[in-house]
Amino acid sequence: MNIRIFKEDVLDGLQKAANIIQNRSGYPYLRSLWLQASENRVNVMATDMNIEFKGSYPSEVLTPGMVGVQGKDFVEIIRRAYTGGISLKLDAESKHLNIDQGGEQGSFSCKIPILESSWRQDLAEFPDKKSGPVLWSGDFFQELIDRVSYCISDGDGDNISCMLIKPGEGSFIDVCGLNSHQMGLIRFTHDDLRAVLPSSGILIQKKYLLELKKWIGNKEVEVSLDEKRVFLRDVDHKELFSLPLSSYQYPDYLSLLERSKGRSTSRLTVNRKEIIDALERLSIFNSDTNIFTYYDLNSAGAGALSVSVKSQDKGSCNQKLKAEFNGDLKIISFPTKSMLEIFSHFHSEKIDLVMDTENPCAVSGGEDPDYTVIIMPMKVSEHVNYEEEKVQ
């Protein structure tokens, strides 16, 4: 292989590939990056045996071929190279790749060892279906991930460590994330995507979502599925990103949604920005042994809410806010940081909390009609703390 690449053409793709592979530890195929040159293109391929990436970029191909290199080192060399052309030439006898650059800015020459071809892994191809790929907005895909991923369990290898995408009621698609104490659910319509989703939906593990967000950015993507993987590629077919689907049985999230409606509910309505401001102030007084904020729904008087924190280590703080409340509850508590995170993912000016003594609390907003966050099934005791119940 003998090619000339330009840093500005390939660096972004190389960095995406490097994000997938491991560092120096592990087997060579887990830290390798493969370059395949033909027809004035260089194809970049990388996998960690789960996520797979392919990118195709312009190059001057003098001699076609393929070579594997230590991915992180190679990408760092290209990143630190000068802007402009870089020559890559395989020396098959010494089993090294020679990297050279010369120009007005400066010059350098180095060589790095190549990998045995037996280490190369075949990567899955984008499925060609009669219905064609589904077009999806990258911006909206990112928003979906943002609004449910913080609710997904941080564990690994179980059903609640996944994001669910599933055909919902009517023409909706449901995107859900949950853990042992909260659930995020957002609904949207996309007829083409709904048509290709299996009735049971698909599960994507949380550990893959960050890399997926990095790759998608704000571009429009084409989506396709097979039984084991989800595939995404940009509309000019320059890059392909795929990851495995999980086969776990997902919890019945719809029953949790129904339970949150309750039979006899209390409703609290607060200004979102004001409650966030108050909770940020109160969080100063939280400690490892007291992570809660107490919501006094009774003593502050009509049209008002009292929120407070008490800590033996840090003291106490109390604040009154304007609020609307209807119901029988007198005082209740929520983890401060959890509620801050929940409120921050809404856009609505006012936030509604619907709760009772037997069912989960549902958080919603009038300007977020298809988004609901639930504090998972819990009991309210005389001390009025929410106690988590496992939902697995």
Side-chain angles (χ1 to χ4, degrees):
M1 186 184 80
N2 184 1
I3 64 174
R4 180 176 171 83
I5 60 174
F6 288 82
K7 177 180 177 178
E8 54 270 30
D9 291 334
V10 301
L11 182 58
D12 181 64
L14 289 173
Q15 289 177 326
K16 290 173 182 176
N19 288 336
I20 295 172
I21 58 179
Q22 295 186 6
N23 290 314
R24 295 180 180 277
S25 60
Y27 293 106
Y29 68 85
L30 294 178
R31 56 179 190 267
S32 62
L33 184 152
W34 291 84
L35 305 172
Q36 181 183 40
S38 62
E39 299 180 355
N40 293 322
R41 307 290 294 182
V42 59
N43 298 320
V44 177
M45 296 166 285
T47 181
D48 65 354
M49 295 303 292
N50 291 302
I51 299 175
E52 296 182 357
F53 174 82
K54 292 182 181 180
S56 179
Y57 311 99
S59 68
E60 296 176 6
V61 178
L62 303 177
T63 305
M66 179 181 292
V67 65
V69 294
Q70 298 282 358
K72 299 285 188 180
D73 288 345
F74 177 76
V75 175
E76 187 66 10
I77 291 170
I78 302 303
R79 188 181 74 82
R80 292 181 179 275
Y82 302 106
T83 301
I86 304 167
S87 296
L88 307 177
K89 185 176 182 180
L90 172 64
D91 185 338
E93 185 175 346
S94 68
K95 296 184 177 181
H96 280 79
L97 180 68
N98 296 321
I99 306 172
D100 297 285
Q101 185 177 46
E104 295 181 0
Q105 298 177 78
S107 63
F108 74 91
S109 178
C110 60
K111 61 181 181 179
I112 57 175
I114 62 171
L115 300 173
E116 294 291 336
S117 59
S118 59
W119 287 114
R120 187 174 69 85
Q121 304 295 306
D122 291 328
L123 305 187
E125 297 293 335
F126 192 90
D128 289 320
K129 298 185 176 182
K130 292 182 180 179
S131 59
V134 174
L135 288 176
W136 201 355
S137 164
D139 282 340
F140 185 64
F141 201 173
Q142 283 206 337
E143 182 181 355
L144 292 176
I145 294 173
D146 284 338
R147 299 184 85 181
V148 302
S149 61
Y150 71 97
C151 294
I152 301 173
S153 171
D154 289 324
D156 191 12
D158 57 39
N159 53 0
I160 62 173
S161 64
C162 300
M163 181 177 77
L164 172 71
I165 306 176
K166 181 179 184 295
E169 299 173 350
S171 60
F172 283 107
I173 295 173
D174 291 352
V175 178
C176 183
L178 57 80
N179 53 35
S180 62
H181 63 279
Q182 64 189 24
M183 179 180 88
L185 174 66
I186 187 166
R187 288 176 159 164
F188 68 100
T189 57
H190 191 307
D191 293 342
D192 291 341
L193 180 61
R194 197 177 194 280
V196 301
L197 286 172
S199 59
S200 58
I202 60 172
L203 293 176
I204 302 175
Q205 290 193 48
K206 182 178 182 177
K207 63 183 180 180
Y208 301 139
L209 294 179
L210 179 59
E211 290 305 324
L212 182 56
K213 281 182 61 180
K214 287 180 183 177
W215 178 79
I216 290 175
N218 58 5
K219 59 191 175 187
E220 192 173 46
V221 295
E222 296 178 343
V223 182
S224 188
L225 302 169
D226 65 17
E227 293 181 355
K228 295 183 178 180
R229 302 185 71 82
V230 57
F231 299 81
L232 302 100
R233 70 183 178 190
D234 48 13
V235 293
D236 60 4
H237 300 183
K238 178 181 173 182
E239 294 179 347
L240 169 62
F241 187 97
S242 74
L243 49 85
L245 299 174
S246 295
S247 58
Y248 300 111
Q249 184 72 34
Y250 203 71
D252 184 4
Y253 67 98
L254 291 177
S255 68
L256 298 173
L257 187 63
E258 288 299 317
R259 284 182 58 191
S260 71
K261 295 178 180 178
R263 293 178 294 276
S264 58
T265 61
S266 296
R267 178 183 292 268
L268 172 67
T269 302
V270 293
N271 180 281
R272 186 177 68 89
K273 290 183 179 179
E274 290 179 2
I275 191 67
I276 288 176
D277 179 65
L279 292 179
E280 287 177 340
R281 188 175 299 110
L282 291 168
S283 68
I284 299 170
F285 296 86
N286 283 132
S287 64
D288 292 340
T289 57
N290 182 11
I291 63 173
F292 295 97
T293 292
Y294 293 84
Y295 296 65
D296 190 331
L297 307 167
N298 187 46
S299 65
L305 167 70
S306 175
V307 287
S308 63
V309 170
K310 280 186 177 181
S311 171
Q312 289 184 341
D313 301 334
K314 296 186 176 183
S316 63
C317 184
N318 179 281
Q319 182 168 345
K320 289 186 179 180
L321 301 170
K322 292 180 181 179
E324 301 172 23
F325 177 71
N326 292 298
D328 300 325
L329 286 176
K330 295 181 179 179
I331 188 170
I332 207 160
S333 64
F334 296 97
T336 309
K337 289 184 178 179
S338 294
M339 298 308 288
L340 273 171
E341 190 161 38
I342 290 170
F343 293 147
S344 70
H345 284 86
F346 281 85
H347 305 307
S348 301
E349 180 182 359
K350 292 186 176 181
I351 297 293
D352 295 320
L353 290 80
V354 178
M355 51 207 165
D356 67 18
T357 57
E358 299 294 334
N359 296 290
C361 170
V363 184
S364 60
E367 297 161 40
D368 301 271
D370 300 315
Y371 182 46
T372 304
V373 179
I374 294 172
I375 301 297
M376 299 303 288
M378 50 193 77
K379 298 176 182 177
V380 183
S381 68
E382 287 301 315
H383 298 291
V384 215
N385 288 337
Y386 271 165
E387 300 171 357
E388 297 172 7
E389 290 183 0
K390 297 280 186 179
V391 298
Q392 301 180 65

